[in-house]
């Protein structure tokens, strides 16, 4: 089973016996379990004592002289002071202990000096005596400098001088300061320094050293005391001679130069002894002028790696000195006049340390007892023995043999039980150890609890405990319940303490075990039970993570374990082997949930090794992963400029921390403070392994630099700016680049170039010299002009001839290097000839190949850009009248003689021209070529409706395709039963052979069934794409002529406008009122909806519904006759959107004639006219205007019905949207969608592209749009253009738009 961790309890596995005592004692503890069975006497053992040295600091209230011991019977205590008996109870000033131990307390009552001395504690019972180590009680005295009168010290300049401090003795550490009476420190350097002994040394005195208040201060930090020595006066006399060669500014006194000598230490060699672990401090202070420099060497080998040179080279410091640091060291003081040296012989010694300390033991009566005591040290320690605190010669024993480092008791008996003390001493200290020697016989006592339950994991190791106490030692045997013999085998191991270890545990090891302990005094046995468990195993361990600082890290840990431990499992996490305490405030960023450790907002301190520990009562499993936190590099440090020259500088830096992502590059930026202060620009990038870069510089610039590191995380913060460096002015290093030669006019040449950046000027007064000459004129002189701008126009040039041009920069310091010569051409003119022999080859009904003869290069007057093909549709071959259709253009770059023109309409007549072009523009077009495309399949039928739906039949009506692409031969009608299931009925096909048909009745349908209908228009080449429609038959027929389809279309919301023309819906049934242009005008609180009645059904009724879009409630007008032509909606809210519908019934559903969204004017605008729109005369005026408008519209339609141009109007009303009609610009009051959009559902063209006719058809208008083709004529761009201009004609009762 899997487990993600739950705290539990651990199963008891055994009893561990503990030994305790002070550093100077070894105790033999008889277990409490043994004492509960029998009363056994025990020797005394010191359990606690005060440290070896106690300092009586004056700010402490009291001082505890501790001594505690245990034994049976309870021990009694006594003390010695300086080797003499000392009874604390006899001194009433001393306070007794509260715990019954031998401790006493010395109060700080001002008379501590008489308690100073060396103390030792003795703990005794009838079996023996244990003693403590010596405890030294030190009462420090307040150190003081002696009161003395110090005569002034006089020396000549250049002579050495020493001001002696001679600090008083006190509790270390001691710190010496030399200051003035005003507490200003005496400045130290190579010439002036304080020695380790506290003296102030001058290698050579200068006149400025003269002063009368040199004071030595001694600081004793442990007793919080600083004492001051009497001030000393130093007078330095000058020689009276002057020289300018002495150091310092100006003139100085002439000083007699001298070779070095040593002020400290005296002599030529010193022998130094110190204890291992202390700090070795060797000092050499030299005199001489000039001031000598001190060097340190180790004779025969190099200085230790830990060696530190301090105090301006005068002190050699080796911390924590070791035996290998012994040897000979040498200091050497040198100046230009000689040298002096001193040798130090260093010996590292050690205080005594135990190699083998005497151990407490229980031995049986009659056995030989060995007590061993071995110690090391330098010098070699002296070993001395005591028994019960007395010298051995004071307690003679016949069976005791004493050697240097051991004692042997032969055939010991119970009277030989005692406490033996071994003491090892040398000049660096003394150590003492007590050993309790007990001689006794005891029957076995098994300390381990009987009938313990043990659990083990297969394949692991288990230890069954049998802790036994006896004298003489017992023989331990283990047996299993199913065998009387002892357990044996390579997997079973019996420890000396009686425990049985079973390795590689198997399932067969489960059962009851018995442990038997036996000696000559008796025997004892216990039982133990072993159970075998499934191992704990982490099956989904945490994986190594490498994440960005500030993000969240997540470690997963899932484990499988024995089901019996379901409530005893424990899981926890470690970071770098330390348990993560989740309830600790320091670990607020850690969250553990279901075996997942999340570390939020990871910081650098979260980086490390994370371990998941899953622990059962018998085993555990651990899995670890590393978390590596990455970030951008830290900013580099210590930027330094070197190798300065006018043209370059070397920049060095120390990289910042790369945060576990190697720095891949360094970005060097510069700031030019003269021209762009505060703006930093990139100067150079160098690899991440570099720490310096040579930077090229411009002249006359003030630079500062900064560096930032880049790694895979990103770019780090920039460093602090470097020091500034200003370069001198010089001539420009480069000339202008990106020179462009253009000819906008035939007889001019425009020369433009990229000017030098301000920093590239290299100095003031930048100018450009423009030189040019016609190419191929031999050694003709250059025409030269000097300008300050970065452009120049050469006039009077021939058309499109090559010129050589060069541009050179200069400033007040001189010219830039010689520029390179480039070649450019003067201005171009339009091509003067059109391509000849233009021919068109029809490839298929939408693609033609055009070919032409190339224009001669002399007629190009420039660089040939390519050829442009313009074409336009003249008419459909079903129409007789020609007109300019939508213009298209394709551009073919390069010198070529053919191209492919795609995207043509089948069954159409086109006109086409070809022209050449260059950089100036297009040349003249070729003679138009007319061609025709073959017949194709029709476009999709635009409208398909279901009509007159009955129980077993449905009528379909449709309009012909907008583009028949040929002569229609009929229609293909298909339908099938669908009924909202996965299975559909067979597809039934009906051929409608009449191309003029627009209706069809389908009989013999199933009642109450859903059908899907497909209709395609066909020509001789096939049928076009299908238009589909669905409907369901009903139990009884719907009213005749009513469509079953709801016409609910979405209109585009637009700002309200007055009398906005709208398109009429082309998909209305025969019962929809015949109305035309619908318009609306809005005010702040009313809207006027108006329309024009159609040519028939003038007496139909309709309803106007409107809804406040914020509230969602519909309101419906009374029944309106279409002849009324308008309806006013009153009581609207200002600045509010409304949805308006015109419907044929007086309830609201998704079926409407048309729909629109209007918005009333806001209060601000309404307030201007608010006083007018509500007046009666204004309303009357509006009604009169509406009536005049109605009369005008009726006259318009009468005129329209009379015109031959509208010969198909009547048929169009009968069959709406068979084909949209073109209209001329000068037709009065005709419908147009040139500028405005229709109300939803208004009558509109099925093609959707009815537009006013163009005023002309000049070929020049067709040369502006472009597209691109490849060299082989394949299409590589778009061809765009204006939509075709519609033309209208009546042919076979079908209107065709060309």
């Amino acid at each position: 089973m899997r487990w993600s961790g739950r705290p539990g309890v651990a199963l008891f596995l055994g009893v561990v016996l503990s030994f305790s005592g002070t550093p100077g004692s070894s105790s033999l503890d008889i277990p409490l379990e043994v004492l509960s069975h029998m009363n056994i006497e025990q020797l005394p053992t010191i359990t606690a004592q005060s440290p070896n040295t106690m300092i009586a600091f004056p700010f402490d209230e009291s001082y505890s002289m501790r001594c505690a011991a245990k034994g049976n019977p309870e021990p009694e205590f006594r003390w010695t002071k300086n080797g003499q008996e000392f009874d604390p109870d006899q001194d009433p000033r001393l306070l007794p202990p509260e715990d019954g131990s031998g401790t006493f307390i010395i109060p700080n009552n001002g008379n501590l000096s008489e308690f100073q001395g060396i103390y030792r504690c003795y703990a005794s019972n009838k079996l023996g005596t244990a003693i403590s180590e010596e405890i030294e009680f030190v009462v420090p005295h307040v150190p003081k400098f002696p009161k003395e009168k110090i005569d002034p010290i006089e020396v000549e300049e250049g002579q050495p001088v020493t001001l002696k401090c001679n600090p008083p003795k006190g509790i270390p550490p001691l710190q010496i300061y030399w200051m003035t009476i005003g507490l200003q420190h005496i400045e130290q350097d190579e010439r002036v320094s304080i020695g380790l002994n506290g003296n102030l040394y001058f290698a050579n005195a200068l006149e400025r050293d003269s002063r009368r208040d040199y004071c030595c201060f001694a600081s004793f930090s442990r007793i919080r005391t600083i004492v001051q020595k009497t001030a000393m006066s130093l007078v330095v006399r000058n020689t009276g001679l002057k020289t300018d060669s002495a150091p310092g500014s100006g003139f100085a006194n002439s000083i007699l130069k001298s070779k070095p000598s040593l002020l400290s230490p005296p002599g030529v060699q010193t022998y130094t002894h110190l204890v291992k672990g202390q700090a070795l401090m060797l000092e050499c202070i030299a005199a001489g002028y000039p001031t000598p420099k001190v060097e340190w060497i180790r004779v025969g080998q190099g200085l230790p790696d830990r060696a530190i040179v301090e105090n301006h080279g005068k002190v050699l410091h080796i911390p924590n000195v070791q035996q290998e640091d012994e040897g000979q060291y040498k200091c050497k003081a040198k100046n230009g006049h000689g040298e002096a040296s001193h040798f130090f012989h260093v010996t590292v010694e050690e205080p005594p340390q135990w190699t083998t300390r005497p151990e407490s033991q229980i031995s049986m009566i009659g056995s030989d007892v060995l007590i061993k005591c071995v110690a090391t040290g330098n010098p070699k320690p002296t070993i001395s023995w005591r028994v019960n605190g007395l010298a051995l010669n004071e307690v003679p024993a016949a069976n005791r043999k004493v050697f240097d480092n051991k004692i042997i008791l032969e055939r010991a008996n119970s009277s030989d039980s005692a406490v033996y003390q071994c003491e090892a001493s040398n000049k660096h200290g003394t150590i003492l150890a007590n050993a309790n020697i007990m001689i006794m016989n005891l029957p076995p006592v098994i300390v381990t609890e009987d009938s313990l339950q043990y659990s083990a994991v297969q394949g692991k190791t288990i230890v069954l405990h049998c802790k036994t106490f006896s004298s003489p030692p017992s023989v331990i045997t283990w047996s299993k319940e199913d065998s009387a013999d002892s357990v044996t085998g390579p997997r079973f191991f019996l420890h000396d303490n009686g425990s049985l270890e079973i390795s590689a545990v198997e399932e067969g090891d489960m059962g009851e075990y018995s442990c038997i302990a036996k000696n000559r005094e008796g025997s004892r046995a216990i039982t133990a039970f072993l159970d075998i468990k499934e191992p704990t195993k982490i099956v989904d361990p945490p994986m190594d993570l490498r994440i960005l600082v500030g993000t969240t890290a997540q470690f997963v840990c899932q484990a499988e374990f024995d089901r019996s431990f379901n409530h005893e499992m424990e899981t926890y996490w470690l970071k770098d082997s330390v348990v993560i305490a989740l309830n600790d405030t320091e670990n607020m960023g850690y969250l553990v949930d279901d075996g997942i450790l999340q570390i939020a907002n990871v910081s650098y301190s979260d980086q490390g090794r994370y371990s998941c520990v899953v622990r059962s009562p018998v085993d555990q499993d651990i899995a670890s992963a590393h978390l590596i936190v990455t970030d951008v590099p830290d900013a580099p440090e210590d930027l330094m400029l070197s190798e300065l020259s006018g043209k370059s500088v070397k920049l060095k830096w120390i990289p910042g921390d790369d945060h576990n992502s190697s720095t891949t590059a360094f970005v060097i930026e510069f700031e030019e403070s003269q021209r762009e202060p505060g703006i930093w620009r990139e100067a150079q990038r160098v690899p991440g392994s570099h720490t310096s870069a040579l930077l090229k510089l411009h002249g006359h610039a003030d630079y500062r630099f900064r560096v930032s590191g880049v790694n895979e995380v990103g770019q780090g913060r920039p460093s602090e700016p470097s020091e500034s460096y200003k370069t001198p002015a010089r001539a420009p290093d480069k000339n202008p680049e990106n020179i462009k030669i253009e000819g906008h006019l035939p007889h001019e040449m425009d020369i433009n170039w990229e000017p030098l950046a301000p920093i590239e000027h290299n100095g003031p007064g930048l100018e450009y010299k423009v030189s040019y000459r016609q190419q191929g004129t031999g050694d003709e002189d250059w025409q030269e002009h000097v300008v300050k701008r970065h452009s120049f126009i050469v006039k009077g040039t021939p058309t499109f001839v090559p010129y050589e041009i060069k541009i050179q920069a200069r400033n007040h310091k001189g010219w830039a290097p010689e520029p390179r010569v480039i070649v450019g051409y003067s201005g171009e003119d339009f091509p003067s000839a059109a391509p000849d022999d233009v021919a068109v080859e029809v490839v298929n009904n939408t693609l033609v190949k055009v070919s032409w003869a190339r224009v001669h290069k002399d007629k190009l007057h420039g660089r040939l850009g390519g050829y442009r093909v313009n074409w336009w549709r003249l008419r459909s071959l079903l129409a007789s009248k020609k007109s300019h259709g939508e213009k298209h253009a394709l551009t073919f770059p390069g010198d070529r003689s053919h191209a492919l023109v795609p995207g043509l309409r089948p069954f159409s007549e086109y006109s086409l021209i070809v022209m050449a072009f260059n950089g100036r523009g297009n040349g003249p077009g070729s003679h138009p070529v007319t061609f025709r495309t073959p017949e194709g399949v029709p476009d999709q039928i635009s409208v398909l409706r279901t009509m007159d739906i009955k129980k077993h039949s449905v009528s379909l009506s449709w309009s012909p395709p907008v583009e028949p692409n040929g002569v229609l031969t009929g229609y293909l009608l298909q339908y099938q039963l669908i009924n909202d299931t996965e299975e559909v009925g067979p597809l039934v096909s009906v051929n409608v052979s009449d191309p003029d048909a627009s209706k069809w009745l389908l009989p013999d349908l199933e009642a109450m069934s859903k059908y899907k209908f497909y209709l395609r228009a066909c020509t001789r080449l096939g049928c076009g794409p299908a238009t589909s429609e669905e409907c369901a038959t009903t139990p009884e027929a719907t009213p005749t002529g009513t469509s079953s389809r709801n016409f609910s279309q979405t209109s585009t919301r637009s700002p309200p406008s007055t009398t906005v023309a709208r398109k009429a819906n082309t998909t209305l049934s025969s019962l929809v009122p015949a109305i035309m242009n619908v318009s609306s005008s809005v005010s702040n609180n009313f809207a006027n909806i108006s329309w024009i009645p159609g040519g028939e059904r003038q007496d139909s009724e309709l309803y106007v519904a409107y809804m406040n879009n914020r509230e969602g409630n519909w309101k419906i007008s009374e029944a309106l006759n279409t002849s009324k032509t308008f309806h006013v909606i009153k009581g609207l809210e200002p600045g509010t959107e409304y949805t308006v519908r015109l419907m044929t019934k007086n309830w609201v559903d998704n079926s409407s004639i048309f729909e629109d969204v209007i918005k009333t004017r806001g209060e601000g605008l309404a307030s201007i006219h608010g006083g007018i729109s509500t007046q009666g005369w204004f309303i009357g005026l509006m009604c009169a205007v509406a009536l005049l408008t109605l009369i005008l519209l009726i006259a318009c339609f009468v005129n329209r019905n009379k015109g031959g141009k509208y010969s198909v109007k009547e048929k169009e009303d009968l069959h709406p949207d068979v084909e949209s009609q073109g209209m001329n610009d000068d037709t009065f009051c005709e419908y147009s969608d040139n500028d405005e959009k229709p109300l939803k559902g208004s009558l509109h063209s099925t093609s959707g592209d009815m537009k006013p006719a163009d005023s002309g058809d000049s070929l020049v208008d067709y040369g502006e749009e472009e597209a691109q083709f490849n060299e082989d004529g394949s299409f590589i761009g778009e061809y765009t253009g204006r939509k075709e201009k519609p033309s209208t004609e009546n042919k076979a009762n079908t209107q065709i738009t060309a």
Side-chain angles (χ1 to χ4, degrees), residues 270 279 424 517 658 696 806 1096:
T270 300
D658 62 8
K696 294 182 179 180
K806 59 182 180 178
E1096 58 176 302

Side-chain angles (χ1 to χ4, degrees), residues 143 145 165 167-179 216-229:
F145 280 103
C165 180
K169 293 184 179 180
I171 301 297
L174 168 66
Q175 183 69 45
I176 301 296
Y177 303 95
W178 281 87
M179 294 186 286
C216 178
F217 293 83
S219 172
F220 300 89
S221 58
R222 295 188 69 185
I223 59 174
R224 306 175 187 176
T225 301
I226 298 177
V227 293
Q228 175 185 346
K229 186 180 177 71

Side-chain angles (χ1 to χ4, degrees), residues 1173 1175-1187:
S1173 60
Q1175 302 299 318
W1177 65 267
F1178 177 75
I1179 297 175
L1181 179 61
M1182 291 300 296
C1183 291
V1185 171
L1187 183 58

Side-chain angles (χ1 to χ4, degrees), residues 1054-1068:
S1054 59
S1057 59
T1058 303
T1059 314
V1060 180
R1062 311 287 181 174
K1063 291 184 182 179
N1065 196 333
T1066 63
T1067 62
L1068 303 179

